[in-house]
Amino acid sequence: MRLSARPIAALVAALALTAGLSITGTPAVARPDDRAAAAEASDVSIAADTYTWKNARIDGGGFVPGIVFNRSEKNLAYARTDIGGAYRWDQAGKRWTPLLDWVDWDRWGWSGVVSLASDTAEPDNVYAAVGTYTNSWDPTNGAVLRSSDRGASWKAATLPFKLGGNMPGRGMGERLAVDPNKNSVLYLGAPSGNGLWRSTDSGVTWSEVTAFPNPGNYAQDPSDTSGYGNDNQGIVWVTFDERSGSAGSTTQDIYVGVADKENTVYRSTDGGSTWSRIAGQPTGYLAHKGVLDSSTGHLYLTLSDTGGPYDGAKGRIWRYDTESGAWTDVSPVAEADTYYGFGGISVDRQKPGTLMATAYSSWWPDTQIFRSTDSGATWTQAWDYSSYPNRSNRYTLDVSSVPWLSWGANPTPPETAPKLGWMTESLEIDPFDSDRMMYGTGATVYGTEGLTSWDSGGTFTITPMVKGLEETAVNDLASPPSGAPLLSALGDIGGFRHTDLDAVPAMMFTSPNLDSTTSLDFAEATPGTAVRVGNADAAPHIGFSTDNGANWFQGSEPSGVTGGGTVAAAADGSGFVWSPEGAGVHHTTGYGTSWTASTGIPAGATVESDRKNPKKFYGFSAGTFYVSTDGGATFTAKATGLPAEGNVRFKALPGTEGDIWLAGGAPTGTYGLWRSTDSGASFTRFSEVEQADSVGFGKAASGASYQTVFVSAKIGGVRGIFRSTDAGAGWTRINDDTHQWAWTGAAITGDPRVYGRVYVSTNGRGIQVGESSDTDGPGTDPGPGTDPGEPPADADCSVAYTVTNRWSGGFQAEVKLTNTGTAAYDGWKLGWTFPGDQRIGQIWNASHQQTGAKVTVTDAGWNGKVAPGSSAAFGFTGTTTVDGTAPGAFTLAGEACAVG
């Protein structure tokens, strides 16, 4: 299977499929600038947050095209994904921390990361070149983000062109590089013929290097008129030779890779003033990577006949001696024996002459990894044939922490399950530890901490090193009233049944295996009955379950089906209605042994079921709502005047016949949220909801007469995730500006068993799970001193103080103040005394004063009113010369609060 983002035609659909675990700290914030590229950005305002957020664990699930180690600080590493943001490695937790969850709806393209660069001179500095598509699918230009606190906060310089984190060739790189000698100088290779760009002020402003002679000319498919396959992949990597400079002076020798098969490597020897094609270079290939081993003076190129990351039928590895100018083909196999291109490459900074490379496009029977300890003169392979088709592996692959990576497969040799990988465009040896290596695949990050056993003839163990990196695209979600709390429909890897949100499921849905699940449903009255549909290379495109999704069996399908579409289950599980791609709407009784075409409803309509009446089904298409009262056999057009363009999603309220909520539309037309209480005969719009894209229901609040409604919407001019406990009379935003996840329009549902819990779809950051701090609903009062081990407090408050991130000389913390009394706060001041020399730097959601070690934090105005049982949260970055500990006591208006 190919796991990665794929383009699709419509704008919202072009938030294409591809690839977070629970967030260990307050996510990064950004200061973006949408003006000219040269302008400095302003601070982003942060909204109140009384929810905590984490991912339903899947671990991975998409393409990781880049891994970057800092070469001056041990254990500092970053990973980039094509649409799922960037991550920093947390060595203590052996997990990845997401850095771009602040990317908002309007700039969703910034969740695609085309390149990363970590500053060796000042390791706190990190840069990300962001933008998902270079064509019209992405409404915004690309940007270079810069952070001086390892991604805890960001500023942005918007570029005058787009970048393509999810475009062809996205595994090549890195396109972004920091001068190791003069770190105020950065280079960026641009796509689409935009050339080479340079910043001389640490990424604040950018200008084109007009002296660079070649903007590239290679496109994956010149005949494609969509702007996707025919885009010029441009300048694809930049590499410095740090030996040609000294600290504080510009590095003189710079190498640049270009998407041009006849002219793929250029060099400057005067700090970027002039450039020339290197004579004698290999031709007929694209250089995916260019890595320089400064100990030997060798520049290594991995080459392929295409830009990847899926394709590539021929490849080579060449070595350039920067002293003598000699080129040498050091490929591990003869050209005639390659059926793949070479992609990932890394040199061991502790062992000069040791390097590794990957056959990124070797899909069958497996990817291959090569290793040389003599500068490429000779190579060994991760696996060889002992006697075909049997393999002898130098490694063992242990996926027990992410067992679904086996795909439940039992292939015929020489294939194995799990596989060593595919789309292996990134491979990095830890510059401080010759035993540690990580590499990205189309589904995960693999790694080892025993690599040098390769050279001594022993075996080494490869395991997923992907915890915290959640990269799935979510198409649909369901939370049944019994059984597993969550069922999911995902792009590329099908979907999962989560019985524990904090545990990786053993296996994705199988029987059938669907490349992407597009829709799923369960029978409201008998939730053990479930159905899912999706895309696959061949039939069947539908599966059924009678045990709440634990096991599945394949169904039959009508003729002409080409894709999943949408599906609905009758409230009692007695029948199903399916609107697949390639065929019209059909209905069945039982489990789909035969299907009958429905009448009165157009092909391609979205279908749902009434959650009480098993004979009633609903449909929507092009502004008209349709109703069936005979199990889906016939539909009748009802309400009109609903959104005629854009994506529309609707849900029927569990337990009540005919109560329907509909969200959707497009900015160019009708767009909003509607409700019907008469089975779709008429709808009433919620005037205060400007835009809405998905709607779902959860457990009612304590004392409420209506189930909790959740929407991904724009209300009061603010985009976010909103909750209503009074049938839409009032709305509360429950996410904040640090938890936005770019695009969240595909699906949302509450949990019918846990008040306040909500499951939110993302397009590349997995399934977000929100938990309310008000666990019992409005009006409940947990009271002070609920923990028997906590001494009584003087004030009606409790404080949770969490250090969410640490780095040399600094830290980041999150503080949550909870009202444990019976009266609301009308403004608050929280005080504490820091141990040691800790000082607050940047603070959000509040203001502060600090005198010596004493700190007073005051509400930001809009979050000053805190109802009983509710919380106000704020965060900050700080400095310290020691590994600072948390304060031991807090006061509210001078009176002590409980801690914990």
Side-chain angles (χ1 to χ4, degrees), residues 856-891:
T856 301
V857 176
T858 305
D859 66 83
W862 43 262
N863 61 353
K865 292 187 177 182
V866 183
S870 296
S871 302
F874 60 93
F876 61 89
T877 57
T879 59
T880 181
T881 59
V882 296
D883 198 12
T885 57
F890 298 86
T891 61

Coordinates of all heavy atoms in Angstrom, one line a residue, residues 856-891:
T856 N 3.3 37.8 40.1 CA 1.9 38.0 40.1 C 1.4 37.9 38.7 O 1.8 38.7 37.8 CB 1.5 39.3 40.8 OG1 2.0 39.3 42.1 CG2 0.0 39.5 40.8
V857 N 0.4 37.0 38.4 CA -0.2 36.9 37.1 C -1.6 37.3 37.1 O -2.4 36.9 38.0 CB -0.1 35.4 36.6 CG1 -0.8 35.3 35.2 CG2 1.4 35.0 36.5
T858 N -2.0 38.2 36.2 CA -3.4 38.7 36.2 C -4.1 38.3 34.9 O -3.4 38.2 33.8 CB -3.3 40.3 36.2 OG1 -2.5 40.7 37.3 CG2 -4.7 40.9 36.3
D859 N -5.4 38.1 35.0 CA -6.1 37.6 33.9 C -6.0 38.6 32.7 O -5.7 39.8 32.9 CB -7.6 37.4 34.2 CG -8.3 38.8 34.6 OD1 -8.7 39.5 33.7 OD2 -8.4 39.0 35.8
A860 N -6.3 38.1 31.5 CA -6.2 38.9 30.3 C -7.5 39.7 30.0 O -7.6 40.3 28.9 CB -5.9 38.0 29.1
G861 N -8.4 39.7 30.9 CA -9.7 40.5 30.7 C -10.8 39.6 30.2 O -11.8 39.3 30.9
W862 N -10.6 39.0 29.0 CA -11.6 38.1 28.5 C -11.7 36.8 29.2 O -12.7 36.1 29.1 CB -11.4 37.9 27.0 CG -10.0 37.6 26.6 CD1 -9.1 38.5 26.1 CD2 -9.3 36.3 26.7 NE1 -7.8 37.9 26.0 CE2 -7.9 36.6 26.3 CE3 -9.6 35.1 27.2 CZ2 -7.0 35.6 26.3 CZ3 -8.7 34.1 27.2 CH2 -7.4 34.3 26.8
N863 N -10.7 36.4 29.9 CA -10.8 35.1 30.7 C -10.8 35.4 32.2 O -10.5 34.5 33.0 CB -9.6 34.2 30.3 CG -8.2 34.8 30.7 OD1 -8.1 36.0 31.0 ND2 -7.2 34.1 30.5
G864 N -11.2 36.6 32.6 CA -11.3 36.9 34.0 C -12.4 36.3 34.7 O -12.4 36.1 36.0
K865 N -13.5 36.1 34.0 CA -14.7 35.5 34.7 C -14.6 34.0 34.5 O -14.5 33.4 33.4 CB -16.0 36.0 34.0 CG -16.3 37.5 34.3 CD -17.6 37.9 33.8 CE -17.9 39.4 34.2 NZ -19.2 39.8 33.7
V866 N -14.5 33.3 35.7 CA -14.4 31.8 35.7 C -15.5 31.3 36.6 O -15.6 31.5 37.8 CB -13.0 31.4 36.3 CG1 -12.9 29.9 36.3 CG2 -11.9 32.1 35.6
A867 N -16.4 30.5 35.9 CA -17.6 30.0 36.6 C -17.1 28.9 37.6 O -16.1 28.3 37.4 CB -18.6 29.4 35.6
P868 N -17.9 28.6 38.6 CA -17.6 27.4 39.5 C -17.4 26.2 38.7 O -18.2 25.8 37.8 CB -18.9 27.4 40.3 CG -19.5 28.7 40.3 CD -19.2 29.3 39.0
G869 N -16.4 25.5 39.0 CA -16.1 24.2 38.3 C -15.3 24.4 37.0 O -14.9 23.4 36.4
S870 N -15.1 25.7 36.6 CA -14.4 25.9 35.3 C -13.0 26.4 35.6 O -12.6 26.6 36.8 CB -15.2 27.0 34.5 OG -16.4 26.5 34.1
S871 N -12.2 26.5 34.6 CA -10.8 26.8 34.7 C -10.4 27.9 33.8 O -11.0 28.2 32.7 CB -9.9 25.6 34.5 OG -10.3 24.6 35.3
A872 N -9.3 28.6 34.1 CA -8.6 29.5 33.2 C -7.2 29.0 33.1 O -6.6 28.6 34.1 CB -8.7 31.0 33.7
A873 N -6.7 29.0 31.9 CA -5.3 28.5 31.7 C -4.5 29.5 31.0 O -4.9 30.3 30.2 CB -5.4 27.2 30.8
F874 N -3.2 29.5 31.3 CA -2.2 30.4 30.6 C -0.9 29.7 30.6 O -0.7 28.6 31.3 CB -2.1 31.7 31.3 CG -1.6 31.7 32.8 CD1 -0.3 31.8 33.1 CD2 -2.5 31.5 33.8 CE1 0.2 31.7 34.4 CE2 -2.1 31.4 35.1 CZ -0.8 31.5 35.4
G875 N 0.0 30.1 29.8 CA 1.3 29.5 29.6 C 2.4 30.6 29.5 O 2.1 31.7 29.2
F876 N 3.6 30.2 29.6 CA 4.7 31.1 29.5 C 6.0 30.3 29.2 O 6.1 29.1 29.4 CB 4.9 32.0 30.7 CG 5.2 31.2 32.0 CD1 6.5 31.0 32.3 CD2 4.2 30.8 32.8 CE1 6.8 30.3 33.5 CE2 4.4 30.1 34.0 CZ 5.7 29.9 34.3
T877 N 7.0 31.0 28.6 CA 8.3 30.6 28.6 C 9.1 31.3 29.6 O 8.9 32.4 29.9 CB 8.9 30.8 27.2 OG1 8.8 32.1 26.8 CG2 8.2 29.9 26.1
G878 N 10.2 30.6 30.1 CA 11.0 31.3 31.1 C 12.5 30.9 30.9 O 12.8 30.1 30.1
T879 N 13.3 31.6 31.7 CA 14.7 31.3 31.7 C 15.2 30.9 33.1 O 14.6 31.2 34.1 CB 15.5 32.6 31.3 OG1 15.2 33.7 32.3 CG2 15.1 33.1 29.9
T880 N 16.3 30.1 33.1 CA 16.8 29.7 34.4 C 18.2 29.2 34.1 O 18.5 28.6 33.0 CB 16.0 28.6 35.0 OG1 16.6 28.2 36.3 CG2 15.9 27.4 34.1
T881 N 19.1 29.3 35.0 CA 20.5 28.8 34.9 C 20.6 27.4 35.5 O 21.6 26.7 35.3 CB 21.5 29.7 35.6 OG1 21.2 29.8 37.0 CG2 21.5 31.0 35.0
V882 N 19.5 26.9 36.1 CA 19.5 25.6 36.6 C 18.2 24.9 36.1 O 17.4 25.5 35.5 CB 19.5 25.5 38.2 CG1 20.8 26.1 38.7 CG2 18.4 26.3 38.8
D883 N 18.1 23.6 36.4 CA 16.9 22.9 36.0 C 15.8 23.2 36.9 O 15.5 22.4 37.9 CB 17.2 21.4 35.9 CG 16.2 20.7 35.0 OD1 15.4 21.3 34.3 OD2 16.2 19.4 35.1
G884 N 15.1 24.3 36.7 CA 14.1 24.8 37.7 C 13.0 23.9 38.1 O 12.5 23.2 37.2
T885 N 12.6 23.9 39.3 CA 11.5 23.1 39.8 C 10.3 24.0 39.9 O 10.3 25.2 39.9 CB 11.8 22.5 41.2 OG1 12.1 23.6 42.1 CG2 13.0 21.5 41.1
A886 N 9.1 23.3 40.0 CA 7.9 24.1 40.1 C 7.7 24.7 41.4 O 8.2 24.2 42.4 CB 6.7 23.1 39.8
P887 N 7.0 25.9 41.4 CA 6.6 26.5 42.7 C 5.8 25.5 43.6 O 5.0 24.7 43.1 CB 5.8 27.7 42.3 CG 6.1 28.0 40.9 CD 6.4 26.6 40.3
G888 N 6.0 25.6 44.9 CA 5.3 24.7 45.8 C 4.0 25.2 46.3 O 3.2 24.5 46.9
A889 N 3.7 26.5 46.2 CA 2.5 27.1 46.7 C 2.0 28.3 45.8 O 2.8 28.9 45.2 CB 2.7 27.7 48.1
F890 N 0.7 28.5 45.8 CA 0.1 29.5 45.0 C -1.0 30.3 45.8 O -1.6 29.7 46.7 CB -0.6 28.9 43.8 CG 0.4 28.2 42.9 CD1 0.7 26.9 43.1 CD2 1.0 28.9 41.8 CE1 1.6 26.2 42.2 CE2 1.8 28.3 41.0 CZ 2.2 26.9 41.2
T891 N -1.2 31.5 45.5 CA -2.2 32.3 46.2 C -3.1 33.0 45.2 O -2.7 33.3 44.1 CB -1.6 33.4 47.1 OG1 -0.8 34.3 46.3 CG2 -0.7 32.8 48.2

